[in-house]
Every structure is written in structure tokens, then in C-alpha cells.
Amino acid sequence: MVETPTLESLQATLAAQQSVFEMHQAMNVEVFYWWCTAIMIMIHAGFLAYEMGASRSKNALAAGIKNILALAVIIPTFYLFGWWIYNAFPNGFIPIEASGALPWAASMGPDVTDMGTGIFWAAFAMFGATTGSILSGAVIERIRVSAFLILTVFLGSVVWILAGAWGWHPDGWLLTELGYHDVGASGVVHAIAGFFTLGVLINLGPRTGKFINGVAQTISPHSLPMTLIGLMMIIFGFFGFLGGCIIFNGGETGWTTIYNNPTNLSAFAFNTLMGFAGGVIGCYIASRDPFWTMSGGLVGIISVAAGLDLYDPELAFIIAVVTGVLAVKVAKIIENLGIDDAVGAVAVHGFTGVWAVILVGVFAGGMPNVGDLPPITFTGQLIGAAVMLALGFIPGYALSWVLKKCNALRVPKEAEELGLDEVEIIAKPYPEANGVPAVSESDVPNKLANL
Amino acid sequence: MGTSISSWENVGAYFTFADNPLALGLFTLGAAAIIVGLIASIAKHENEAFEKIEKK
């Protein structure tokens, strides 16, 4: 005999189903950001290949180890104070209560009841590490690793996340006062890192031999193919990065931007790929150069990232083509000013990031924000872009100036001429090519035993 | 020794030393010291490496 369900038993079953559904939804959110974070690691694999390839062979490993260490110091420092800065400074420079983001808080570790903090912290830490990698490529072959790590911690765990608190936090003053829109982090990550890099480059100076009688010389990458592959790996990683820029909500809300307006991954997919294609074409037209053609993919995505949720894909494509052409011109202007940016980071990330924020004001001005937030405006975007430029440049210039005055910024000329691998690193990238046998007789098990 | 829970019933933060603010504070200082020490050791290594070139 089948029992007739009572109202109470049906309610209990429904509640149990609801509980299961909510748990799986929370798990899906975690899974999504987990894989975004994993894919973002590919950005760093790409930067690693890109920087090592862009260096001369005498500096290849020094460039690589610098990049690896950047990742290793930004992650713990972002845990120690970066996450707290994001949560504490949406209003400007006066902190609000954010004790839950301090490193000794219960939510900053394994917690059965918190299925959000760790995964968001991880994604944001990878954003921070990306800023460090942007700096890392530009300064290859002459910066001291110790100085670079100080700079990269300041950029990756302080400066960019302060920009994030202002322009990405739901209560960030750029949003609440100006309606600032920068969905894919063109401003808060790329502009900040690019102009921080410019500040550092001014104090660091060019590589020896880069300018002869004021004329810029070509210092060829030792492995252009490795650089091109690295750039394509960064493009792959961008899908994790941009996935980390969308909010996977529970309940009926679905996808939203960080500003809480509805969007979806389809919108992001249209414009990410159209931006990539446009940037490649623009940089190719302007340069005919393989390095810049591939860098154009980055330029294109960054150029549309700020308005990734808003643009018509064809408009995104056109924006990316035009920005690709402009980025190459900007890189030439920077070089003509006597600044040696080994990988074009200031043009690719700094100029493009600022430009992208402004373009949202040009093409999407008048778009509403949710609730009582002011709409997107050209003026708001222009002010936001200026804030990003200044917030990136001033700390980068100031801290590198201090390091320079302490004679702690740049390697000695003799070390630069010999090559940093020879001077600082205990391994050689291509031993046979340098007349050193790959296998040599030794009384000790291996070279590490001599340490 | 760092256990912070005695049962999995109604548990929240369960990581080691979650109920010991002093220990967490010390770990924070330790982690920060490692980063500072790393950068200092790299600076020392660089200085020694550069001095070797000057002597050659």
C-alpha cells in the first residue's frame, strides 16, 4: 500500500531538494573560478616564454627566474595585505572595516561555511600576478632581481588592487560617483601596470647599446618563435582572466558584471575574439612585424575589455584594429623619447588600457548602471582613465626613484655586458651553444652540491 | 597540536590554529619575514656576484 504524502512531507522533500540545489550551485561557482584561476596560470607560462625569448641568450634564464619569483612573491603578499586593501579602500585612501579580509580572519582559510572567499582571492591574486608579469617583461636584461621583486610586490599586491577597490569594488568610489565601467580590467589591471612600468623604465634607463647617439637600435630577441608562442599562451590565459571578471551568481540572477548589471559569457565571447582578431590585424598593418602582430592579439583584447559586455562585436573589431595601429605608433613614440621598453608593455598595456576606458565613454556613454548608480558617461570614463594613469605612474616612478638613489635598481654595466645568466644564475640556458659540454665530469653529484 | 575542532558537527573555519589568534598572528609575521628575507638574500647574492666581476 502506497502512503499518501502529507503536506508536511512534501515540504520537507522540497526543502531537501532546495538544499541540494543550493549546495550544487555554490559548488558550481567554486568550480568556475577554480578553472578560471588555473587557466590564468597559462598567462604566466606565456609571459615566462615571452620574456625568455625576448631576452638575448645571455639573459634568458635571469629573465625567466625573475618572472617565476614574481608569481611566488605576489601570491603570499596578496594574501597578507592585498585582499584586505581591496576590501578596505573602496572610498579612496581612508580604510573601512574589513577585518574579515585580514590574514588571521576565519574566512581566510579552510571554512566549511565559506565557499567564496578563497576562490575569489585566488582569482584576484592571479590578476595581481599578471600586473607583475607586465612589468617583468619591460625591464629585462638590466634590472636587479631584488629591486624588481620589491617593485612587483608593490604593484601586484598594493597599487593595482587599490585601483581595483576604486574601480571594481561594488562600493568603489569611481563607480558610485562616476558610473565608471571597466568590466575586463583594461584600466585597473592593464593601465595601472603599463604606467607603473613607464615610471620604472624612466628611472631604470635603457639597456646598454639600445641607443647610439640617440638613435634606437634593434636588440633582437634570442628566440622570436618562443616569444610568439608565449604570447599565444597569454591569449589562452586571457579566457581565464576574463572569465574571472564576470560574476557567477547563485539564485535566479545568473551572470552579472562586477557592477551587477546582467551579462553573460556569450557577450564576453563575441567581443573577446573579435577584439583579438582586430588587434592582430591592426598591429600587422602598422608594423608587418611578427612580434607586434602577435602582441596585437593582446592589444585587441585589452582595447575592448573595458566594455566587453556592451559593444557590438563589429564595433569591437574596428576598435581593436584602430587601437592596434595606434599602439604600434605609441611604442615608436616611447622609443623615440629614449625609453627602452623591451616588450612594448607601456603601449600594449598602459596606452591601450587607458584608451579602452575612454572608449567606453565614447561609445557607451549614457548606458545605465543598476539601482541608484550614475550612468556611464564620457566625463566619468575620462576621469577614471586619468586616475588609472596617475595611480599607476606615480608609485612606479617614486619607488623606482628611491631604489635608484639607493643604487639598488640596476645591475652594474659589467654584469650587463657579461650577461646576467653568467653572473647570477647557476645554470646555462644553452650550454652546448656556448662551448660548455652539457655533461661534465665532477666529483660531486651535481652542481647543486656546490651551493 | 594545531587542531581547532573536536567534531565535524556544525563546523565553520576548521583549519589548523583557527581558534588561536596568537598563533595566526605569528604565522603572519613568519610569512612576511620569509618574503623580506628572500628579497634580502637575493640582494646579498647579487652584491656578491657583482663584486666577483669587479675583482676579475
Side-chain angles (χ1 to χ4, degrees):
Chain A
M1 183 179 165
V2 179
E3 279 187 32
T4 306
T6 63
L7 183 60
E8 289 74 19
S9 69
L10 285 172
Q11 284 175 331
T13 304
L14 192 61
Q17 292 295 326
Q18 179 72 19
S19 178
V20 169
F21 174 74
E22 286 174 1
M23 172 53 78
H24 277 262
Q25 202 166 41
M27 289 164 67
N28 280 336
V29 172
E30 282 200 308
V31 167
F32 175 75
Y33 289 109
W34 170 271
W35 289 113
C36 284
T37 303
I39 294 168
M40 272 193 274
I41 295 285
M42 187 61 85
I43 291 178
H44 301 285
F47 271 118
L48 183 62
Y50 171 56
E51 277 184 48
M52 289 195 296
S55 301
R56 286 163 288 184
S57 61
K58 64 179 180 177
N59 297 312
L61 291 177
I65 204 162
K66 174 169 64 63
N67 190 289
I68 296 164
L69 286 172
L71 195 57
V73 295
I74 287 174
I75 291 169
T77 53
F78 195 82
Y79 182 90
L80 290 172
F81 45 79
W83 189 238
W84 176 76
I85 289 171
Y86 177 69
N87 286 279
F89 290 92
N91 295 337
F93 292 109
I94 309 295
I96 61 172
E97 203 289 318
S99 56
L102 287 166
W104 48 83
S107 58
M108 291 299 284
D111 182 343
V112 173
T113 59
D114 186 345
M115 296 178 75
T117 301
I119 212 74
F120 280 109
W121 167 81
F124 274 64
M126 287 300 106
F127 295 145
T130 299
T131 65
S133 282
I134 292 167
L135 169 67
S136 183
V139 298
I140 51 172
E141 304 196 300
R142 76 279 205 198
I143 198 166
R144 288 178 63 136
V145 176
S146 53
F148 168 75
L149 292 179
I150 293 168
L151 289 162
T152 205
V153 164
F154 196 51
L155 172 59
S157 294
V158 179
V159 178
W160 99 265
I161 195 61
L162 184 60
W166 293 358
W168 250 22
H169 192 286
D171 298 322
W173 71 270
L174 284 174
L175 172 64
T176 58
E177 300 297 322
L178 302 168
Y180 180 76
H181 196 87
D182 182 16
V183 158
S186 301
V188 301
V189 167
H190 298 283
I192 289 286
F195 280 96
F196 187 99
T197 299
L198 178 62
V200 174
L201 288 173
I202 290 170
N203 285 311
L204 182 62
R207 287 168 288 179
T208 301
K210 176 63 185 175
F211 295 98
I212 299 176
N213 298 324
V215 178
Q217 309 296 308
T218 300
I219 298 179
S220 297
H222 93 276
S223 176
L224 190 54
M226 189 195 291
T227 299
L228 299 184
I229 291 167
L231 280 162
M232 192 59 96
M233 290 160 77
I234 297 171
I235 299 293
F236 178 85
F238 248 98
F239 283 81
F241 184 103
L242 294 172
C245 295
I246 198 169
I247 305 297
F248 186 145
N249 294 282
E252 298 173 347
T253 310
W255 302 105
T256 63
T257 69
I258 43 168
Y259 306 118
N260 217 23
N261 60 282
T263 189
N264 49 51
L265 282 174
S266 285
F268 277 37
F270 276 130
N271 289 328
T272 303
L273 287 177
M274 291 295 265
F276 165 76
V280 168
I281 291 170
C283 283
Y284 176 75
I285 290 170
S287 71
R288 311 288 179 190
D289 172 73
F291 176 82
W292 271 101
T293 301
M294 193 60 243
S295 293
L298 289 180
V299 171
I301 293 175
I302 297 165
S303 72
V304 299
L308 205 62
D309 58 324
L310 302 177
Y311 289 139
D312 163 55
E314 290 158 322
L315 173 62
F317 178 72
I318 293 166
I319 286 173
V321 172
V322 172
T323 309
V325 173
L326 292 175
V328 173
K329 307 287 181 201
V330 169
K332 287 181 180 169
I333 291 169
I334 290 167
E335 192 169 75
N336 288 337
L337 291 170
I339 295 167
D340 178 15
D341 180 353
V343 294
V346 179
V348 170
H349 298 275
F351 158 73
T352 305
V354 163
W355 177 245
V357 169
I358 295 170
L359 289 183
V360 171
V362 172
F363 293 112
M367 278 272 192
N369 274 304
V370 297
D372 297 331
L373 294 169
I376 299 167
T377 63
F378 175 73
T379 309
Q381 292 299 114
L382 195 63
I383 294 170
V387 168
M388 294 302 153
L389 192 157
L391 185 58
F393 180 79
I394 294 170
Y397 182 86
L399 183 55
S400 58
W401 183 84
V402 170
L403 289 166
K404 184 181 179 182
K405 290 297 166 191
C406 297
N407 200 26
L409 182 62
R410 186 168 175 138
V411 302
K413 194 176 177 193
E414 299 78 13
E416 193 182 343
E417 286 173 355
L418 269 171
L420 301 181
D421 287 3
E422 176 67 28
V423 177
E424 296 181 30
I425 309 290
I426 62 163
K428 293 185 186 305
Y430 309 104
E432 294 97 330
N434 293 319
V436 179
V439 179
S440 56
E441 289 185 12
S442 174
D443 294 332
V444 292
N446 58 50
K447 201 167 184 179
L448 292 175
N450 290 323
L451 294 177
Chain B
M1 68 175 176
T3 306
S4 60
I5 59 170
S6 54
S7 150
W8 288 100
E9 295 296 317
N10 299 318
V11 79
Y14 62 89
F15 54 90
T16 48
F17 298 100
D19 57 347
N20 187 339
L22 177 63
L24 295 179
L26 289 173
F27 294 150
T28 299
L29 289 174
I34 287 170
I35 302 299
V36 173
L38 168 75
I39 295 174
S41 76
I42 292 172
K44 181 170 176 282
H45 170 66
E46 287 173 324
N47 289 336
E48 289 169 356
F50 300 151
E51 277 173 21
K52 278 184 190 169
I53 309 175
E54 286 172 9
K55 285 176 186 170
K56 281 183 182 175

